[in-house]
């Protein structure tokens, strides 16, 4: 499974904040595989375009992207 390969490559560590899976679980978070270049922006679902993020960083990343897209539309 692709997600498991990405988790292993990244040593189950968030590529933004550096939290490990063990510490994330302890803090009520979980690990997710994220597209580096978003699928909607043409990014492929591939080993090289995937990264491990904790759920907090992944949510924040997508929230910021959503705000930026909204800002660009109104500018």
């Amino acid at each position: 499974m692709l997600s498991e390969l990405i988790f292993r490559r990244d040593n189950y560590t968030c590529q933004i904040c550096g939290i490990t899976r063990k510490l994330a679980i302890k803090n009520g978070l979980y690990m997710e595989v994220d597209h580096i270049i978003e699928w909607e922006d043409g990014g492929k679902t591939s080993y090289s375009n995937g990264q491990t993020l904790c759920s907090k960083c992944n949510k924040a990343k997508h929230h910021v992207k959503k705000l930026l897209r909204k800002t660009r539309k109104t500018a």
Side-chain angles (χ1 to χ4, degrees):
M1 186 177 217
L2 182 59
S3 58
E4 186 61 30
L5 292 172
I6 293 168
F7 284 141
R8 287 181 189 172
R9 179 198 65 205
D10 294 343
N11 200 28
Y12 294 90
T13 301
C14 178
Q15 300 303 292
I16 293 177
C17 74
I19 196 170
T20 62
R21 176 175 61 170
K22 196 176 221 180
L23 191 54
I25 291 168
K26 201 173 196 177
N27 287 294
L29 304 172
Y30 49 93
M31 306 311 275
E32 302 174 340
V33 173
D34 174 65
H35 288 87
I36 296 168
I37 299 171
E38 299 301 326
W39 186 82
E40 63 187 323
D41 295 330
K44 298 183 190 250
T45 301
S46 66
Y47 182 77
S48 62
N49 191 43
Q51 64 181 346
T52 301
L53 297 182
C54 70
S55 51
K56 184 177 179 180
C57 287
N58 198 14
K59 184 176 181 180
K61 177 187 170 190
H62 289 286
H63 181 70
V64 168
K65 283 195 158 258
K66 186 176 179 181
L67 286 175
L68 287 173
R69 282 193 174 108
K70 186 176 181 181
T71 303
R72 287 182 190 142
K73 287 180 182 179
T74 60

